[in-house]
Amino acid sequence: MNLTQVTIDALAERLENAELQREAVCMITEEFPEMDWEDAYAIQGAIRQRKALRGGRVVGWKMGLTSFAKMKQMGVNDPVYGFLTDYGACLNGTAIDSDSLIHPKVEAEIGFVLKHALRGPDCDIAKVLAATDFIVPAVEVIDSRYKDFRFDLKSVIADNTSAARFVIGGNARSPEGLDLECLGVVLEKNGQLVATAAGAAVLGHPARSVAMLANMLHTRGGHLPAGAFIMTGGLTEAVAVQPGDQINVRYQYLGSVSLRFQSNRA
Ligand code: OOG
Ligand code: MG
């Protein structure tokens, strides 16, 4: 680690305030180029602690930058992880308050819920499937706290991988008998097709994203407990949304997830 605890705490406060006050900030590696991976996850951990002290709860994990489409869009090429908060959870069909976000984008994702704990270092697709209770379709609303949604990997890890809101919908299904690689996904905005994908868009198989998460958590002394909810990462490019936009994502086998964005400003 290259940053002091004082700097880590100050950066966590800066990024969390950017979220709470909806004001984008400059990428933090510009000011602290010496920041390393452990510093980045330590800042994310300090944000998590700040939320916990205020009574916030962590309700899941997320992997990010797990598809080629996402890596290409953001100009980075390694998966990262973050956490999901209780206040981020929104109901299927809900209107999301655009005024509470800076510059939201939506991502179609596949969610896993575990029935058994998963521990690294040797998790693989088979172990993940054996530990999975059910698969759910989900949409993540990301909202980078950085100006113009521009960042490098360390900065985005510190910013809890742009996590903001998420919606679980459709039908939960056991992974047994589901072809997760071929699982088709159709993303529509305002009734128009904007992106399509198959499950294999995420690291060749979405369960590989969960395995990678368990292995990454292991390197920092963590694991995924039974009951854990995990979002495996956007299958397509993220789609920018404005107030008034309606999003509908249809999943093969799993039903659909929909949400809209609404502003109360005049
Ligand atoms: C980082 C978060 C990426 C995903 O599903 O790939 C992410 C970002 O693109 O802002 O959540
Ligand atoms: Mg995501």
Side-chain angles (χ1 to χ4, degrees), residues 62-63 107 109 140 142 233-234:
K62 59 165 283 188
M63 284 290 278
E107 300 180 320
E109 305 206 12
E140 183 175 27
I142 51 171

Side-chain angles (χ1 to χ4, degrees), residues 62-65 70 74 107 109 140 142 149 151 156 161-162 233-234:
K62 59 165 283 188
M63 284 290 278
L65 307 168
K70 277 288 313 183
M74 305 320 297
E107 300 180 320
E109 305 206 12
E140 183 175 27
I142 51 171
F149 236 105
F151 46 72
V156 75
T161 62
S162 311

Side-chain angles (χ1 to χ4, degrees), residues 133-262:
D133 202 357
F134 50 89
I135 307 286
V136 282
V139 171
E140 183 175 27
V141 180
I142 51 171
D143 192 32
S144 176
R145 268 59 67 169
Y146 296 117
K147 286 182 184 149
D148 305 321
F149 236 105
R150 267 195 51 252
F151 46 72
D152 56 18
L153 269 181
K154 288 171 190 159
S155 295
V156 75
I157 291 167
D159 182 30
N160 190 23
T161 62
S162 311
R165 307 281 183 269
F166 63 97
V167 181
I168 299 174
N171 314 312
R173 291 275 304 264
S174 154
E176 225 173 280
L178 281 191
D179 182 347
L180 289 174
E181 290 168 270
C182 290
L183 190 149
V185 179
V186 174
L187 170 55
E188 294 163 347
K189 178 163 110 173
N190 302 327
Q192 294 211 312
L193 176 66
V194 277
T196 56
V202 164
L203 297 170
H205 192 302
R208 183 169 286 132
S209 174
V210 180
M212 192 180 267
L213 173 61
N215 293 337
M216 286 165 93
L217 289 174
H218 176 78
T219 64
R220 301 192 170 81
H223 74 284
L224 292 167
F229 170 59
I230 302 118
M231 304 213 12
T232 52
L235 294 147
T236 71
E237 284 195 350
V239 175
V241 283
Q242 307 294 333
D245 283 344
Q246 167 87 38
I247 296 293
N248 187 44
V249 188
R250 287 184 285 147
Y251 293 78
Q252 189 179 16
Y253 317 122
L254 304 174
S256 60
V257 180
S258 58
L259 60 155
R260 61 201 162 83
F261 290 81
Q262 190 173 288

